[in-house]
Amino acid sequence: QRKNPFSNDNRLASKPVHTHRGDPTYGRPPEGSQTEQRGKDAHSHVGKEVEELCLIIRSTGEVGEDGHVSVTFGQLFETYVTISNKVVGILLRARKHGLVHFEGEMLWQGKDDDVIITLL
C-alpha cells in the first residue's frame, strides 16, 4: 500500500519501511506500543514466577553438605503444580538465569521424579 498512489492511509507513511538484522530495533516492537508493554508485563510476570519457584524450593527442600538447598523434581512438581501448571518452563528459565541446577535438557513428570534440583 505504501507504493499505491491511490492509497491515502497516513498510518503507512509513518512506519519504517523495513529493518535489517544489524538494526538495534530488528525483531522488536515499536517503542511505546501496546505490544512492547505486553512484552514487558509478561517478562515481569515470569520473573515473579521464577522468584516464587525459588522460594518454594527453599521451603520444601533440604540443605545439603555444600550448603545448597535441593529438592527432587517429583516433590517440587507436586508442591508447585497447585500454584502454576508451568513448572518445567519456569525451571528452565530459572536455570537459564543461573538460579537452579539440574541434570538433563528437559524434565518429564514420572520419568524424572528422582532428578535433584539444586538452588544456587
Side-chain angles (χ1 to χ4, degrees):
Q1 289 296 323
R2 197 178 319 272
K3 294 179 181 180
N4 184 348
F6 302 106
S7 175
N8 51 350
D9 190 351
N10 292 330
R11 292 176 301 145
L12 294 173
S14 66
K15 289 186 178 179
V17 178
H18 288 287
T19 56
H20 300 284
R21 287 185 190 242
D23 188 349
T25 62
Y26 178 77
R28 299 204 172 257
E31 279 190 48
S33 67
Q34 287 182 345
T35 303
E36 180 188 41
Q37 187 57 46
R38 283 191 293 270
K40 287 179 179 178
D41 292 346
H43 184 74
S44 172
H45 178 75
V46 170
K48 289 176 186 171
E49 284 205 35
V50 168
E51 286 179 32
E52 187 173 7
L53 177 75
C54 290
L55 290 173
I56 298 287
I57 293 172
R58 186 180 311 277
S59 66
T60 60
E62 298 177 8
V63 179
E65 294 176 9
D66 59 357
H68 293 299
V69 178
S70 298
V71 65
T72 64
F73 175 65
Q75 183 182 1
L76 179 64
F77 190 90
E78 290 301 318
T79 304
Y80 193 77
V81 78
T82 59
I83 298 166
S84 174
N85 61 351
K86 301 177 280 291
V87 179
V88 176
I90 299 300
L91 266 173
L92 292 172
R93 178 64 63 102
R95 178 169 70 177
K96 178 181 175 182
H97 291 288
L99 300 172
V100 298
H101 173 74
F102 55 89
E103 294 296 324
E105 286 289 315
M106 181 66 76
L107 296 173
W108 303 97
Q109 183 185 11
K111 177 183 155 208
D112 294 321
D113 283 352
D114 295 329
V115 171
I116 303 294
I117 298 167
T118 305
L119 184 63
L120 303 174

